[in-house]
């Protein structure tokens, strides 16, 4: 809520934030959301910017930002949009701004339209064909100060934000005319409090990387299968359900041509279809056979093992008590194996109500991605009620789930915050968050760096990082890189084991 003078409320410390603004109007806009002395007017153009550097350095800001108006280099970026620099460039130098994805996310959360990319700083007003040349070189916006002021940050954190006033199709007559850019002025006013939040997240930190993390052998195999089919097959490659539970993996495969469907009725007769890593019920296989689909099965071999155990127990005449989560694809697939003989058990409190034909003939199986201690609670209750309960030859909770849970537990106790990279429908990723929370540490699940809230990082010295078995390694790398833009990082890997498991590919793609 704004105060009586229409200023945005300021939240967070600005004791170390200094924002350089070239023009009086820019400084005025920024001061709507920041204390007056957190904004320094530095003057327009390269010469004044360079002259301002010693004054900025003498104030020893812990977090230094440049903010103001800018010009877009393509018409994809509109007046009033915000550009956060991933780097600032001059004709002969480049300075990176690694925390850009975190700052951009915070600006988006504040309701602004935000683009990230290189900003070019020129020593003159850029017009016409020169805009196109700079755009061709990859820059998305242009100004006359940012890169010349960047030296003031030294090797410390730097943020550069420009609110767009002019575009190739709506060029600026003169930088001095920006007073007319009412929308840009309003938007720049909203940038100030977000820069303050960025500054409050700035500090040197320790990162504890939980090892193992990210892709397991089953996920690598499933993605490899789709990948190879996309290269080898001429026609479309359909995938029933998400191949693995990760939004970004699915988006990337979709961009390459994979067609994700919920059910086989969306797949034309005779087409190639991949079954996801979570497995399918026999009824799905029958439907595929009826439609003469060319099936390539990416079911993880460890999930396949649970299906085989279900058939074995049912053949012995046992009732199968399946410990898992209702609605999860793996649960649905396994329940579908022997539906007449299987009962789903989600919580210890479910156990009292279970009725079986013969309490001496009961076996249990588990969803592979449960938290070990969570499954232990249900299993204990089952053993108490059914003393003759039998189980699989080995525990069904898979090696990758077990290892990732042990690893996250190994870092959570020494961390102020745990971030787990994974999608919200990824069971094993959610379990990692729960494991960290059970250690008493605040933990969040994020699809990637763009979901990290700067507020979480305030007062946090040590961050534990992990990723679910379906989340690519590169997403953790991107997160570490962005955190490195908020201060120096001491990154330590804590590995509880090294994984060497590999599964062979199905014959169709070997
Ligand atoms: S988490 Fe385990 S069961 Fe699931 S795909 Fe990976 S290896 Fe297979």
């Amino acid at each position: 809520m704004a105060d009586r003078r229409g200023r945005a409320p300021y939240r967070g410390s600005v004791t170390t934030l200094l924002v350089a603004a070239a023009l009086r109007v820019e400084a005025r806009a920024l001061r709507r959301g920041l204390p007056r002395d957190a904004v320094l007017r530095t003057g327009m153009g390269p010469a004044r910017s360079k002259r301002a550097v010693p004054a900025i350095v003498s104030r020893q800001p812990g977090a230094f930002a440049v903010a103001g108006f800018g010009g877009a280099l393509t018409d994809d970026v509109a007046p009033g949009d915000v550009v956060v620099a991933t780097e600032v460039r001059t004709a002969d130098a480049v300075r990176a701004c690694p925390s850009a994805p975190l700052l951009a996310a915070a600006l988006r959360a504040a309701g602004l339209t935000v683009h990230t990319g290189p900003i070019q700083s020129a020593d003159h007003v850029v017009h016409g064909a020169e805009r196109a040349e700079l755009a061709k070189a990859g820059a998305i916006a242009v100004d006359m100060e940012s890169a010349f002021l960047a030296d003031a940050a030294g090797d410390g954190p730097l943020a550069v934000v420009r609110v767009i006033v002019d575009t190739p199709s709506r060029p600026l007559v003169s930088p001095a005319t920006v007073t007319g850019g009412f929308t840009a002025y309003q938007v720049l006013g909203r940038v100030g409090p977000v820069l303050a939040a960025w500054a409050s997240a700035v500090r040197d930190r320790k990162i504890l990387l939980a090892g193992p993390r990210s892709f397991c052998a089953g996920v690598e195999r499933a993605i490899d299968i789709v990948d190879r089919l996309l290269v080898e097959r001429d026609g479309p490659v359909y995938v029933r359900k998400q191949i693995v539970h990760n939004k970004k993996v699915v988006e990337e495969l979709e961009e390459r041509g994979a067609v994700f469907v919920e059910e086989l009725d969306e797949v034309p007769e005779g087409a190639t279809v991949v079954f996801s890593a979570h497995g399918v019920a026999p009824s799905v296989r029958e439907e595929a056979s009826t439609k003469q689909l060319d099936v390539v099965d990416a079911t993880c071999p460890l999930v396949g093992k649970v299906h085989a155990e279900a058939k074995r127990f049912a053949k012995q005449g046992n009732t199968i008590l399946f410990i898992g989560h209702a609605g999860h694809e793996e649960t649905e697939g396994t329940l579908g194996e022997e539906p007449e003989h299987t009962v789903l058990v989600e919580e210890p409190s479910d156990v009292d109500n279970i009725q079986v034909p013969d309490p001496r003939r009961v076996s249990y199986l588990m969803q592979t991605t449960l938290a070990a201690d969570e499954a232990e609670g249900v299993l204990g209750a089952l053993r108490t009620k059914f003393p003759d309960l039998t189980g699989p030859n080995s525990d069904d909770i898979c090696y990758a789930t077990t290892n990732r849970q042990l690893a996250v537990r190994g870092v959570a106790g020494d961390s102020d915050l745990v971030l787990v990279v994974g999608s919200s429908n990824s069971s094993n990723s959610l379990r990692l968050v729960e494991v960290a929370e059970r250690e008493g540490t605040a933990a969040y699940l994020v699809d990637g760096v763009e979901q990290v809230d700067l507020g979480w990082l305030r007062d946090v010295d040590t961050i534990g990082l992990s990723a679910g078995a379906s989340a690519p390694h590169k997403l953790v790398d991107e997160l570490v890189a962005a955190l490195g833009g908020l201060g120096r990082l001491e990154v330590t890997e804590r590995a509880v084991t090294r994984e060497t498991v590999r599964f062979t590919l199905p014959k169709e793609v070997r």
Side-chain angles (χ1 to χ4, degrees):
M1 190 185 295
D3 69 11
R4 278 186 298 167
R5 295 171 62 193
R7 297 180 191 216
Y10 165 66
R11 293 191 180 89
S13 161
V14 287
T15 49
T16 60
L17 171 65
L18 186 61
V19 185
L23 304 176
R24 189 187 305 277
V25 63
E26 293 169 331
R28 199 186 313 136
L30 286 160
R31 285 179 181 136
R32 287 165 61 88
L34 287 170
R36 184 174 180 78
D37 65 356
V39 182
L40 182 69
R41 190 180 158 212
T42 49
M44 200 177 95
R48 289 190 183 92
S49 299
K50 286 177 191 167
R51 280 203 298 276
V53 168
I56 296 165
V57 172
S58 70
R59 286 181 54 170
Q60 298 185 309
F64 175 59
V66 183
F69 303 127
L73 291 173
T74 72
D75 281 311
D76 296 339
V77 183
D81 287 2
V82 177
V83 173
V84 177
T86 51
E87 63 184 41
V88 283
R89 302 171 171 176
T90 61
D92 48 18
V94 175
R95 158 78 198 233
C97 306
S99 65
L102 294 162
L103 179 56
L107 288 161
R108 285 190 190 106
L112 300 175
T113 302
V114 183
H115 309 260
T116 55
I119 291 180
Q120 182 81 32
S121 294
D123 57 8
H124 55 279
V125 178
V126 172
H127 292 294
E130 196 182 351
R131 279 196 203 245
E133 279 302 308
L134 293 176
K136 222 159 98 184
I140 63 169
V142 63
D143 66 21
M144 291 174 63
E145 296 89 15
S146 297
F148 305 110
L149 286 162
D151 279 352
D155 60 0
L158 170 69
V160 176
V161 180
R162 291 286 169 187
V163 179
I164 296 305
V165 172
D166 55 301
T167 65
S169 60
R170 293 177 60 182
L172 187 68
V173 181
S174 146
T177 64
V178 292
T179 43
F182 181 72
T183 304
Y185 180 83
Q186 294 295 331
V187 171
L188 190 56
R190 292 165 66 190
V191 168
V194 182
L195 284 174
W198 170 79
S200 68
V202 162
R203 66 169 60 201
D204 296 343
R205 292 191 169 86
K206 287 184 183 165
I207 301 288
L208 299 178
L209 291 172
R213 62 187 174 279
S214 295
F215 282 174
C216 61
V219 163
E220 275 182 356
R221 175 179 180 271
I223 295 171
D224 200 7
I225 288 169
V226 180
D227 197 52
R228 286 171 184 241
L229 289 171
L230 287 171
V231 173
E232 289 166 13
R233 302 281 162 109
D234 290 332
V237 174
Y238 291 85
V239 183
R240 183 185 176 274
K241 309 279 186 191
Q242 291 194 348
I243 183 71
V244 299
H245 283 160
N246 188 270
K247 191 172 156 235
K248 297 200 177 187
V249 168
V250 169
E251 281 171 2
E252 271 182 29
L253 290 171
E254 246 168 359
E255 272 167 28
R256 294 188 47 216
V259 183
F260 288 87
V261 296
E262 276 305 298
E263 294 302 342
L264 294 185
D265 56 12
E266 298 166 62
V267 181
E269 293 222 354
T272 298
V273 66
V274 182
F275 290 158
S276 79
H278 307 102
V280 296
S283 56
V284 176
R285 293 184 194 282
E286 282 155 27
E287 188 185 351
S289 163
T290 307
K291 291 187 79 170
Q292 297 185 315
L293 298 178
D294 178 10
V295 172
V296 185
D297 192 357
T299 302
C300 174
L302 298 185
V303 176
K305 184 178 83 82
V306 178
H307 284 231
E309 300 270 20
K311 283 192 268 196
R312 181 169 69 86
F313 287 140
K315 205 166 164 193
Q316 289 167 358
N318 291 5
T319 300
I320 301 155
L321 306 174
F322 183 74
I323 306 169
H325 292 295
H328 190 277
E329 282 148 39
E330 184 187 330
T331 300
E332 286 178 357
T334 311
L335 292 181
E337 203 59 69
E338 293 291 343
E340 306 295 319
H341 302 99
T342 311
V343 176
L344 175 64
V345 191
E346 290 190 89
E347 308 278 346
S349 57
D350 294 343
V351 173
D352 273 354
N353 300 325
I354 297 173
Q355 302 292 333
V356 296
D358 183 349
R360 291 163 306 166
R361 303 183 73 87
V362 280
S363 302
Y364 77 87
L365 289 170
M366 287 191 256
Q367 189 179 329
T368 56
T369 50
L370 290 185
D373 40 4
E374 183 189 20
E376 205 47 53
V378 181
L379 193 51
L382 288 176
R383 284 198 172 112
T384 304
K385 177 157 180 173
F386 303 108
D388 296 322
L389 183 75
T390 57
N393 292 331
S394 61
D395 280 352
D396 291 332
I397 293 177
C398 95
Y399 78 96
T401 301
T402 306
N403 290 345
R404 278 153 192 70
Q405 290 176 11
L406 285 173
V408 86
R409 190 173 294 137
V411 300
D414 292 329
S415 302
D416 305 311
L417 168 74
V418 169
L419 296 176
V420 176
V421 180
S423 290
S424 55
N425 62 343
S426 162
S427 176
N428 80 86
S429 304
L430 288 165
R431 302 289 88 74
L432 294 179
V433 173
E434 290 166 6
V435 168
E437 286 173 339
R438 277 201 283 275
E439 295 298 303
T441 307
Y444 297 99
L445 181 69
V446 292
D447 261 309
V449 60
E450 72 285 350
Q451 286 187 345
V452 174
D453 185 329
L454 287 171
W456 300 342
L457 307 178
R458 193 171 178 187
D459 301 328
V460 164
D461 288 317
T462 304
I463 302 176
L465 280 186
S466 183
S470 47
H473 283 280
K474 71 174 181 191
L475 300 181
V476 177
D477 296 343
E478 285 170 11
L479 184 46
V480 173
L483 291 170
L486 295 174
R488 279 186 295 267
L489 296 183
E490 184 188 314
V491 181
T492 308
E493 166 113 19
R494 281 200 190 163
V496 293
T497 185
R498 297 277 166 207
E499 291 176 345
T500 54
V501 178
R502 293 284 175 274
F503 297 131
T504 52
L505 290 165
K507 62 180 185 327
E508 295 89 341
V509 290
R510 253 181 251 156

